[in-house]
């Protein structure tokens, strides 16, 4: 109890978040999503939420839709809502380094991205390869950027009707890199620290930015965020899940103590892949 008093308590979840939720990599196109949901109803399997992984995006650009796979997102979401489903979509921290991409354009201001090692004379943005290809990574230690990040959810919430968000890959994960993450000597300009100092806070800061942004965008509901990464106090902003695993006895043995430990450490909204 003293630990919870110190680190904060879970934010109150929406009631629908307590129901069964169906998620996998990956449901697309739109007809596949609707077919999965319809099959649940036909078989009288209770479920409240369907999750959309990265393939709903346009070229894995966050806050966009692939219009070939999902030509009318709002119509699909309304139809699913009408049959008792809520929709959650994934948002990753890696922002495609594309000058024609609106989110990249809006982010590209001083101190908004993690940059290369502070000793580099030009201090260019750190680029890491993730799902979209070359990506930049927001510096969530920048309070002004946190506010900007929150506004990016406006269209997904109000235009498209998405009910919750899944912050994935937010250790942050980087492909084709020995450490599989941002190098420790990369630099966060807003706080003046190397990434080695910020790394374990990155997922927490992303979840905080997302949750606080959603409170501004959608203040009259209980907002839902799930994060793959986290740290002490993340329960104030987000539920946690333990990341990708296999359907194996080894992983089952590992996730049970992990989930229980995270839960008794303050975040009761924690879970793992089950299949």
């Amino acid at each position: 109890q003293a630990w919870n008093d110190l680190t904060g308590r879970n934010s109150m979840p929406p009631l629908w978040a307590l129901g069964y939720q169906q998620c996998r990599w990956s449901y697309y196109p739109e007809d596949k999503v609707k077919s999965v949901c319809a099959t649940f109803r036909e078989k009288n399997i209770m479920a409240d939420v369907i999750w959309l992984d990265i393939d709903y995006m346009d070229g894995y650009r966050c806050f966009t839709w692939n219009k070939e796979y999902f030509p009318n997102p709002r119509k699909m979401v309304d139809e699913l809502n009408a049959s008792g489903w809520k929709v959650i979509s994934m948002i990753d921290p890696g922002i495609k380094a594309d000058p024609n991409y609106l989110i990249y354009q809006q982010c590209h201001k001083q101190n908004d991205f993690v940059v290369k090692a502070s000793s580099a004379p030009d201090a260019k943005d750190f680029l890491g390869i993730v799902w979209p290809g070359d990506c930049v990574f927001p510096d969530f230690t920048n309070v002004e950027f946190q506010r900007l990040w929150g506004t990016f959810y406006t269209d997904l919430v109000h235009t498209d009707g998405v009910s919750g968000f899944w912050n994935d890959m937010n250790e942050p994960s980087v492909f084709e890199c020995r450490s599989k993450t941002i190098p420790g000597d990369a630099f966060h300009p807003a706080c003046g620290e190397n990434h080695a100092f910020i790394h374990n806070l990155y997922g927490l800061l992303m979840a905080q930015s997302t949750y606080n942004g959603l409170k501004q965008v959608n203040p009259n509901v209980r907002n839902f965020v799930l994060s793959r990464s986290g740290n002490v106090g993340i329960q104030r902003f987000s539920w946690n899940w333990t990341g990708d695993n296999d359907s194996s006895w080894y992983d089952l043995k590992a996730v049970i103590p992990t989930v229980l430990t995270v839960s008794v450490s303050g975040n009761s909204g924690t879970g793992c892949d089950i299949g």
Side-chain angles (χ1 to χ4, degrees):
Q1 182 175 341
W3 177 251
N4 280 335
D5 289 341
L6 176 65
T7 62
R9 301 187 182 279
N10 282 86
S11 56
M12 187 67 72
L15 186 61
W16 53 261
L18 303 179
Y20 179 79
Q21 306 185 28
Q22 180 65 22
C23 175
R24 66 159 295 164
W25 181 31
S26 176
Y27 292 128
Y28 70 95
E30 177 182 308
D31 288 345
K32 177 65 174 179
V33 176
K34 293 193 286 189
S35 174
V36 169
C37 293
T39 301
F40 269 84
R41 296 293 182 252
E42 291 166 6
K43 295 183 180 295
N44 293 317
I45 302 173
M46 298 300 295
D48 293 286
V49 185
I50 187 78
W51 294 58
L52 302 181
D53 209 311
I54 53 176
D55 295 291
Y56 82 89
M57 302 175 191
D58 176 16
Y60 306 133
R61 294 169 177 84
C62 292
F63 306 102
T64 68
W65 291 88
N66 183 318
K67 292 299 185 178
E68 178 181 352
Y69 294 155
F70 297 90
N72 191 334
R74 184 67 198 223
K75 182 173 182 291
M76 177 193 72
V77 171
D78 285 346
E79 290 175 0
L80 293 174
N81 289 168
S83 60
W85 290 91
K86 300 292 186 182
V87 176
I88 290 175
S89 66
M90 174 183 284
I91 296 293
D92 291 344
I95 300 298
K96 185 173 178 62
D98 176 0
N100 297 314
Y101 172 29
L102 181 60
I103 300 297
Y104 177 80
Q105 293 171 2
Q106 291 179 290
C107 291
H108 205 270
K109 300 175 182 177
Q110 186 177 3
N111 293 348
D112 280 354
F113 294 131
V114 178
V115 300
K116 294 179 180 178
S118 56
S119 59
D122 50 3
K124 292 182 178 178
D125 296 335
F126 169 78
L127 291 177
I129 296 176
V130 204
W131 296 111
D134 282 340
C135 289
V136 290
F137 294 84
D139 181 1
F140 288 110
T141 69
N142 184 337
V143 176
E144 290 302 318
F145 179 78
Q146 287 188 21
R147 296 190 184 101
L148 176 63
W149 179 261
T151 68
F152 295 157
Y153 290 88
T154 303
D155 284 347
L156 287 171
V157 171
H158 291 303
T159 302
D160 305 317
V162 176
S163 295
F165 295 94
W166 172 13
N167 287 170
D168 192 24
M169 305 287 286
N170 58 344
E171 291 79 20
S173 180
V174 178
F175 301 158
E176 300 184 18
C177 177
R178 178 178 295 179
S179 65
K180 302 300 182 185
T181 190
I182 295 175
D185 62 352
F187 191 66
H188 290 253
C191 68
E193 296 286 353
N194 286 341
H195 184 71
F197 184 81
I198 299 299
H199 178 78
N200 287 349
L201 298 174
Y202 195 88
L204 167 65
L205 292 171
M206 181 182 181
Q208 178 181 355
S209 304
T210 298
Y211 181 78
N212 288 340
L214 289 173
K215 285 204 302 183
Q216 297 300 313
V217 169
N218 212 13
N220 298 319
V221 303
R222 297 175 183 175
N223 290 292
F224 179 84
V225 180
L226 179 82
S227 176
R228 188 167 89 178
S229 181
N231 207 312
V232 171
I234 195 172
Q235 66 271 12
R236 293 172 292 157
F237 314 112
S238 172
W239 287 10
N240 259 142
W241 120 95
T242 58
D244 302 335
N245 60 30
D246 294 323
S247 298
S248 68
W249 292 113
Y250 176 86
D251 280 4
L252 180 62
K253 183 178 179 180
V255 298
I256 291 175
T258 301
V259 167
L260 293 174
T261 301
V262 173
S263 180
V264 299
S265 298
N267 194 351
S268 58
T270 187
C272 61
D273 288 354
I274 60 173

